[in-house]
Amino acid sequence: MGIGDFESRLSINSVALAYVSVGGFILLARRLGKTIPSAVNIASIAVLSLLFALFFVQNLAYLSSMGILSFTRFLQYFLAGGLCAFLSHAACTPIDVVKTRLQTSASGKYNDALHCLQSIVKEEGFSVLSKGLAATATGYFLHGAFKYSFYELFKLILIPDASLAVLKPPLYIAALAGFLAECVASVLLCPMEAIRIRSVADPSFPNDVFSGLALVFQAEGLHGLFKGLGPILLKQVPYTVGQFVAFEFSVMFVKLVAENLLGGLESISSSGAAFISLVAGVMAGMFACVISQPGDTILSKINQEDTSTDGSTTAQILRVTRTLGFSGLFLGLGMRLVQVSIMIGSQFLIYDTIKMACGITVASAVPASASVAVSSTVASPSTKN
């Protein structure tokens, strides 16, 4: 099958179908009030979910029939993504507690991250550093599972050559695939983030996931669980796009540096590939952290407050931005920079290690010269359509 046929079959219709459903859910979530959802809202959610399920089944079946992506391989991506996000976020929970307290506490209460850590441990004990762990683990397992697996899926939808999609995708493709995947994952993350932030900011808020969900739902309805969807997208979309674009670039950069230092590489061992993924992941984490910090601060502030009567999501974002000012949007950046660099570095280390254990080729395991050759072959005018 030619590239044009492949793209017309998948890239346009499939992505449009997916984002009619996801976009519709996002718009619906913004309008959900404080009461129990009406029959119309429930029916709308069901229809949108069905549309997205149709997109997923149709395209995975087609990719499988082409020998590009089987359901088993997608499931491996799904579980690897969930595990790497779950483990990295759970390990960084204490750092996240300090960062969230810095963002949500009254101005001037804490001098810096170290003062914040010392104060909350002294006042509330060491156990406070695990606040939000359950919501973090649950939310980010789902988020990572959908983000990483759908990133792989969308790369294969948008690029007709599987080798290019894996080894050296164009950065604009990595950006678009990351954007599309994050819009899916953020819908699932939103309720978990709502209760995580409240449990960290308010010592009296329950630490149990189901108790937290029930408490917010009883007080504010679905609106309370999804009122942070706009800020989450504001935070997570730049974060994920930056993460994947920076990682794809950094993998090639690290491999080129290694080859220059070592005088060329004919092959890369599994341990060498894991190290490359780790270093590239740390670099990607630093970039993603800086560009997503304003959204992270706005999200923390909106979820901390009862904003059910404060107007639209846009109005809430503008109000918080005006209140904090430009510098205030970067509250907790130092602590979050450490947190995100560790998390993203460890995520790609775990993700690529699991993929290699499943027999999946990863970009960090292929010498730079081979990756460039694949890119050149696909881009060559002699490529048949």
Side-chain angles (χ1 to χ4, degrees):
M1 174 172 286
I3 291 177
D5 294 335
F6 192 100
E7 290 182 329
S8 64
R9 174 69 176 80
L10 288 174
S11 298
I12 300 175
N13 295 334
S14 299
V15 173
L17 176 61
Y19 284 87
V20 164
S21 58
V22 173
F25 185 89
I26 290 171
L27 292 174
L28 179 64
R30 289 181 60 187
R31 299 181 62 86
L32 291 174
K34 296 177 66 176
T35 59
I36 295 177
S38 66
V40 174
N41 283 338
I42 294 175
S44 299
I45 292 173
V47 170
L48 293 170
S49 300
L50 183 62
L51 278 173
F52 191 78
L54 177 63
F55 150 80
F56 172 71
V57 172
Q58 177 190 23
N59 287 281
L60 188 57
Y62 186 74
L63 290 169
S64 181
S65 71
M66 296 288 293
I68 297 173
L69 179 65
S70 66
F71 176 76
T72 299
R73 182 69 81 216
F74 179 85
L75 185 60
Q76 289 170 338
Y77 288 141
F78 186 88
L79 293 176
L83 284 172
C84 76
F86 159 74
L87 292 172
S88 60
H89 278 274
C92 288
T93 296
I95 299 175
D96 194 61
V97 168
V98 175
K99 183 267 299 180
T100 302
R101 285 293 182 91
L102 283 170
Q103 291 175 331
T104 58
S105 298
S107 178
K109 182 175 181 179
Y110 303 117
N111 298 329
D112 50 34
L114 181 59
H115 179 230
C116 178
L117 173 63
Q118 292 172 336
S119 298
I120 61 177
V121 169
K122 181 179 179 180
E123 295 169 4
E124 302 171 46
F126 279 101
S127 62
V128 72
L129 297 178
S130 65
K131 286 285 285 183
L133 176 60
T136 295
T138 303
Y140 279 99
F141 176 85
L142 291 172
H143 179 263
F146 278 85
K147 181 174 78 172
Y148 281 91
S149 61
F150 275 88
Y151 174 68
E152 303 285 1
L153 175 65
F154 281 120
K155 279 198 301 180
L156 292 170
I157 288 175
L158 296 167
I159 303 177
D161 187 278
S163 296
L164 181 62
V166 172
L167 299 181
K168 195 176 182 294
L171 296 184
Y172 77 92
I173 292 293
L176 183 55
F179 167 79
L180 297 173
E182 184 54 53
C183 288
V184 176
S186 286
V187 172
L188 297 164
L189 176 64
C190 192
M192 295 296 106
E193 273 292 270
I195 63 172
R196 182 195 66 80
I197 290 173
R198 293 190 188 199
S199 67
V200 173
D202 180 4
S204 65
F205 193 86
N207 203 31
D208 174 64
V209 171
F210 295 106
S211 298
L213 289 171
L215 184 61
V216 173
F217 182 78
Q218 289 171 3
E220 301 178 48
L222 284 181
H223 171 79
L225 296 174
F226 286 97
K227 70 180 181 181
L229 186 55
I232 275 189
L233 290 171
L234 182 65
K235 165 195 170 184
Q236 289 294 143
V237 168
Y239 177 89
T240 296
V241 171
Q243 169 190 342
F244 284 124
V245 170
F247 180 74
E248 301 290 359
F249 174 84
S250 298
V251 164
M252 181 58 65
F253 175 77
V254 174
K255 289 193 296 185
L256 287 171
V257 170
E259 290 189 12
N260 285 331
L261 291 176
L262 299 176
L265 293 173
E266 294 185 0
S267 63
I268 300 175
S269 65
S270 296
S271 58
F275 179 75
I276 290 172
S277 294
L278 174 62
V279 174
V282 170
M283 295 169 64
M286 295 174 67
F287 179 76
C289 174
V290 174
I291 65 174
S292 64
Q293 180 64 22
D296 183 71
T297 303
I298 292 170
L299 174 65
S300 294
K301 284 293 185 184
I302 287 180
N303 274 309
Q304 176 195 14
E305 302 166 359
D306 180 3
T307 57
S308 57
T309 60
D310 286 357
S312 67
T313 299
T314 302
Q316 294 173 25
I317 292 173
L318 291 174
R319 175 182 57 78
V320 171
T321 301
R322 285 194 298 266
T323 301
L324 294 177
F326 180 78
S327 61
L329 293 176
F330 290 89
L331 286 169
L333 176 61
M335 182 60 68
R336 186 166 178 259
L337 192 63
V338 175
Q339 175 195 15
V340 172
S341 299
I342 293 172
M343 283 198 308
I344 299 300
S346 61
Q347 278 183 27
F348 279 113
L349 171 63
I350 296 167
Y351 184 61
D352 280 357
T353 299
I354 294 175
K355 286 165 66 177
M356 287 188 286
C358 294
I360 302 172
T361 300
V362 297
S364 56
V366 178
S369 55
S371 298
V372 172
V374 168
S375 179
S376 301
T377 299
V378 174
S380 172
S382 63
T383 302
K384 293 182 180 181
N385 291 326

